[in-house]
Amino acid sequence: MATLQSCSSSVCLRESSSLLLPRRNVNESYKSRTVKWRSPRGAVVPNFHLPMRSFEIKNRTSTEEIKSLRLITAIKTPYLPDGRFDLEAYDALVNTQIEHGAEGVIVGGTTGEGQLMSWDEHIMLIGHTINCYGGSIKVIGNTGSNSTREAVHATEQGFAVGMHAALHINPYYGKTSLEGLVKHFDRVLSMGPTIIYNVPSRTGQDIPHQVINTLAQNANLAGVKECVGNDRIKQHIEKGIVVWSGNDDECHDSRWNHGATGVVSVTSNLVPGLMRDLMFGGKNPSLNAKLMPLIQWLFQEPNPIGLNTALAQLGVVRPVFRLPYVPLPLAKRVEFVNLVKQIGREHFVGEKDVQVLDDDDFTYLDRY
């Protein structure tokens, strides 16, 4: 039987006893010889480097580095008309955050509509973000779930693709006991730097201080994104626990009056430079007051409805909504245009003029 053997420039057949093949001319410039087989190298480009390599990212971010972050943006996920991720628009949003001084992004959080993603989409977006921008900004993947099994699996995958830290919510809807909360978080804390997210208005259950204090014994607890208010933030701070405000309307006072490290912000999707000033520039009640009408406009309906509407009006994302989210009504869209003019278009993301979009401009998706 004939067997395959690799030659210097082509594949040739070695003769066997069962098959007679023509002999080469002995005068040919090349001679038949036995060489070690080498794999094809057409897909290998020497000395070519992607923006980040997985081995450069894995385990390179300490919990202490996460604790130091002041401005973390809960980044928006934009869509194409067929419902797929609009990665071109997404990349532009992340680049803008980097350029204006944001230190971290939450990928696939509530603002990023992780609740409307499959886990495949979720992990892909985390991997894309870390691969393209992991050297410039900390990537915190929302891998939380009300199922401990899902939370463990998603967190394993998130760290496998290189995320710097995980964001974890407490089990919602199917609520558990305080002991159950501790055991749930213990299972995911073992994997790497972790921020716990307490937002009772969404989960229906508060994570009380005593639970956080118990979990703080784990070195992987970076801190808490706290939405209950400044009294709770102060309670955590007194025990040496790092806290980020989860409320844009309170974050200035949380940072400068109650000891919060910073904010996990929705508003910074729109005005990242001003939100950085609010977190880094010292007490600035006038800037805080200037931003308050915008913040109130953003949260008049459940997040991310206002943000999605605003970014579409600024022309930085397509006006595509995955249901059940829908845009704010026309009168509110007119209000946003006026807010942009009052604050100054130069402070907002994108370069296009802000528009009042018509109802027919929006696309709604129930299958994607």
Side-chain angles (χ1 to χ4, degrees):
M1 169 180 271
T3 58
L4 290 176
Q5 179 190 17
S6 176
C7 296
S8 59
S9 60
S10 61
V11 177
C12 57
L13 293 172
R14 175 187 273 179
E15 293 180 5
S16 71
S17 58
S18 61
L19 180 65
L20 295 178
L21 300 173
R23 295 183 180 276
R24 287 200 180 101
N25 189 323
V26 295
N27 294 325
E28 290 175 348
S29 59
Y30 58 88
K31 303 293 183 181
S32 177
R33 64 183 185 275
T34 301
V35 296
K36 185 178 180 180
W37 183 84
R38 295 181 180 178
S39 61
R41 299 183 59 83
V44 179
V45 182
N47 300 320
F48 174 77
H49 295 282
L50 293 170
M52 293 294 294
R53 293 291 193 182
S54 60
F55 64 78
E56 294 176 314
I57 295 168
K58 290 176 182 176
N59 302 320
R60 78 175 184 87
T61 296
S62 68
T63 303
E64 293 304 313
E65 288 180 272
I66 300 300
K67 288 180 177 181
S68 69
L69 304 179
R70 304 282 179 86
L71 176 58
I72 303 172
T73 297
I75 198 75
K76 153 73 176 169
T77 307
Y79 305 113
L80 295 168
D82 62 3
R84 292 175 299 146
F85 294 159
D86 185 347
L87 291 180
E88 183 178 355
Y90 177 82
D91 290 349
L93 291 175
V94 177
N95 269 317
T96 299
Q97 294 299 314
I98 294 169
E99 291 169 359
H100 287 85
E103 298 172 298
V105 288
I106 303 289
V107 179
T110 307
T111 304
E113 300 180 23
Q115 62 275 13
L116 303 185
M117 296 179 189
S118 69
W119 280 116
D120 287 343
E121 288 180 314
H122 216 128
I123 300 303
M124 180 280 288
L125 193 60
I126 293 171
H128 171 82
T129 310
I130 196 73
N131 183 61
C132 295
Y133 306 105
S136 302
I137 197 167
K138 297 302 181 189
V139 177
I140 302 160
N142 172 32
T143 53
S145 172
N146 60 349
S147 160
T148 305
R149 177 183 64 85
E150 283 193 9
V152 167
H153 183 59
T155 303
E156 288 175 339
Q157 290 183 314
F159 280 119
V161 299
M163 69 183 184
H164 297 121
L167 179 73
H168 279 280
I169 202 164
N170 52 307
Y172 47 88
Y173 187 70
K175 298 180 288 185
T176 185
S177 64
L178 298 187
E179 182 182 357
L181 286 179
V182 172
K183 290 187 179 298
H184 172 85
F185 286 124
D186 272 340
R187 293 299 190 273
V188 293
L189 276 166
S190 64
M191 300 181 194
T194 300
I195 297 173
I196 291 176
Y197 180 18
N198 186 31
V199 55
S201 64
R202 287 187 180 271
T203 64
Q205 182 181 37
D206 182 29
I207 308 174
H209 169 71
Q210 61 264 35
V211 169
I212 299 298
N213 199 39
T214 300
L215 296 170
Q217 308 309 309
N218 191 309
N220 282 334
L221 180 65
V224 183
K225 177 187 175 184
E226 184 60 75
C227 297
V228 166
N230 287 327
D231 289 341
R232 177 67 62 81
I233 288 175
K234 184 179 178 181
Q235 194 176 14
H236 292 326
I237 295 299
E238 289 174 348
K239 293 294 185 179
I241 299 167
V242 171
V243 183
W244 292 271
S245 173
N247 301 324
D248 283 345
D249 60 342
E250 297 180 347
C251 69
H252 173 268
D253 292 347
S254 301
R255 170 82 176 94
W256 301 111
N257 297 337
H258 299 279
T261 294
V263 63
V264 177
S265 177
V266 175
T267 308
S268 55
N269 279 276
L270 299 176
V271 286
L274 295 182
M275 290 302 296
R276 180 181 170 87
D277 291 344
L278 208 61
M279 291 296 101
F280 283 81
K283 287 187 178 182
N284 194 338
S286 62
L287 176 57
N288 190 48
K290 181 179 181 178
L291 289 172
M292 202 55 61
L294 173 64
I295 294 170
Q296 292 170 346
W297 183 91
L298 275 174
F299 293 97
Q300 60 190 300
E301 293 288 354
N303 181 52
I305 291 171
L307 177 64
N308 292 352
T309 305
L311 289 172
Q313 290 187 246
L314 290 167
V316 294
V317 304
R318 290 176 169 85
V320 177
F321 281 67
R322 283 185 175 184
L323 290 169
Y325 296 123
V326 297
L328 291 175
L330 181 60
K332 299 299 182 181
R333 301 199 291 267
V334 173
E335 285 182 17
F336 178 70
V337 171
N338 294 329
L339 284 169
V340 171
K341 292 177 181 177
Q342 292 169 15
I343 295 171
R345 177 64 182 90
E346 68 276 11
H347 296 299
F348 286 78
V349 297
E351 298 178 354
K352 298 178 181 179
D353 290 337
V354 62
Q355 302 178 59
V356 178
L357 297 177
D358 294 327
D359 291 341
D360 292 341
D361 291 327
F362 294 94
T363 299
Y364 307 98
L365 302 170
D366 59 354
R367 294 175 184 240
Y368 39 84

